[in-house]
C-alpha cells in the first residue's frame, strides 16, 4: 500500500514541478511585456504588501483550523472512483499538473498567490516555479512516507497541514526581506 502511495505521490510531485515551473516562467514572460515598465521599487512594495496581507490571511486560517484563500479543487475526485477504470498514474499526473498551475487549487498558504504576483511583476526570477514545485513535492513525499494518509485534506486533524501552513507564513515573512536585500542592498 505504501509503495503504491509513494509511486502515486512521486508522479504527482513531478507533474507539479513541471507545471509550476511552466506557470511561473509564463507569468514572468507576460510581466516583461506588461509590468516591467513600472519602477522596480514600486513592484517590490506591491509584493511586500501582498506578503503582509497573505500573512494575515494565513494566520486567520491557522487560528480557525481551515484552509487559506483559494479556489476549490478542479481535478475531479470521481476520476478515482475505485472501479479501476482510470489508471492511477493518470490521476496522479492530472492532479499534479492541476496543482502545479498554482492558482487552480492551492489553499494551504497565500505564499502561492504572492509567488504568482511576484513573477508577474518580474520581482521573483522565472525559475522560482521550479523551486516552488520542489518545496511542494519533497514534503509531500516525506508526509506520505511518515504520515497517516487517511487524514490528508482534513486541516483540523492533519498535522502536516499545520506544518505546511506555518512554512507558508515563514516564506511570506522572509519574502519581503529577501526581495529588499537582493534588490537594494546587493545592487
Amino acid at each position: 500500500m505504501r509503495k503504491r502511495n509513494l509511486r502515486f505521490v512521486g508522479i504527482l510531485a513531478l507533474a507539479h514541478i513541471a507545471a509550476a515551473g511552466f506557470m511561473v516562467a509564463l507569468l514572468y514572460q507576460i510581466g516583461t511585456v506588461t509590468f516591467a515598465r513600472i519602477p522596480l521599487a514600486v513592484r517590490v512594495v506591491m509584493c511586500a504588501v501582498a506578503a503582509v496581507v497573505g500573512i494575515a490571511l494565513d494566520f486567520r486560517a491557522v487560528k480557525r483550523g481551515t484552509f487559506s484563500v483559494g479556489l476549490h479543487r478542479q481535478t475531479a475526485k470521481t476520476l478515482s472512483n475505485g472501479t479501476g477504470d482510470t489508471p492511477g498514474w493518470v490521476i496522479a499526473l492530472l492532479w499534479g499538473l492541476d496543482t502545479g498551475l498554482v492558482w487552480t487549487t492551492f489553499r494551504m498558504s497565500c505564499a502561492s498567490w504572492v509567488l504568482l504576483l511576484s513573477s508577474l511583476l518580474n520581482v521573483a526570477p522565472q525559475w522560482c516555479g521550479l523551486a516552488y514545485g520542489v518545496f511542494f513535492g519533497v514534503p509531500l513525499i516525506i508526509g506520505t512516507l511518515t504520515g497517516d494518509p487517511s487524514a490528508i485534506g482534513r486541516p483540523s486533524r492533519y498535522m502536516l497541514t499545520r506544518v505546511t501552513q506555518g512554512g507558508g507564513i515563514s516564506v511570506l515573512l522572509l519574502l519581503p526581506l529577501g526581495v529588499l536585500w537582493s534588490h537594494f542592498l546587493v545592487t
Side-chain angles (χ1 to χ4, degrees):
M1 174 78 163
R2 193 165 296 278
K3 186 176 182 180
R4 184 179 58 140
N5 289 346
L6 189 58
R7 183 175 39 248
F8 182 90
V9 168
I11 293 169
L12 188 151
L14 288 174
H16 179 90
I17 292 166
F22 172 76
M23 179 56 66
V24 170
L26 176 66
L27 285 175
Y28 184 90
Q29 292 303 317
I30 291 170
T32 60
V33 175
T34 56
F35 295 104
R37 290 191 170 87
I38 297 173
L40 179 61
V42 173
R43 291 182 280 147
V44 169
V45 168
M46 290 170 69
C47 291
V49 168
V52 169
V53 170
I55 290 167
L57 291 171
D58 284 354
F59 268 122
R60 186 188 81 177
V62 169
K63 184 178 176 184
R64 291 182 176 180
T66 62
F67 289 110
S68 192
V69 176
L71 304 173
H72 289 281
R73 169 182 312 283
Q74 284 190 327
T75 303
K77 282 188 172 185
T78 56
L79 280 175
S80 61
N81 58 10
T83 62
D85 296 341
T86 308
W89 70 268
V90 172
I91 298 165
L93 178 69
L94 292 175
W95 194 7
L97 292 172
D98 183 23
T99 58
L101 293 177
V102 183
W103 60 272
T104 57
T105 59
F106 234 82
R107 300 179 291 149
M108 286 289 198
S109 169
C110 288
S112 305
W113 295 103
V114 174
L115 170 68
L116 293 178
L117 177 67
S118 299
S119 62
L120 185 62
L121 294 175
N122 286 178
V123 173
Q126 55 187 328
W127 54 262
C128 280
L130 295 174
Y132 172 85
V134 167
F135 283 102
F136 168 84
V138 170
L140 186 63
I141 291 169
I142 291 170
T144 301
L145 289 171
T146 62
D148 175 15
S150 67
I152 292 176
R154 296 176 182 87
S156 60
R157 288 185 33 212
Y158 193 51
M159 188 59 192
L160 189 57
T161 301
R162 293 289 153 245
V163 170
T164 303
Q165 287 177 319
I169 291 170
S170 299
V171 167
L172 287 171
L173 286 169
L174 294 173
L175 179 71
L177 298 173
V179 168
L180 290 171
W181 178 76
S182 68
H183 286 293
F184 295 111
L185 299 177
V186 174
T187 56

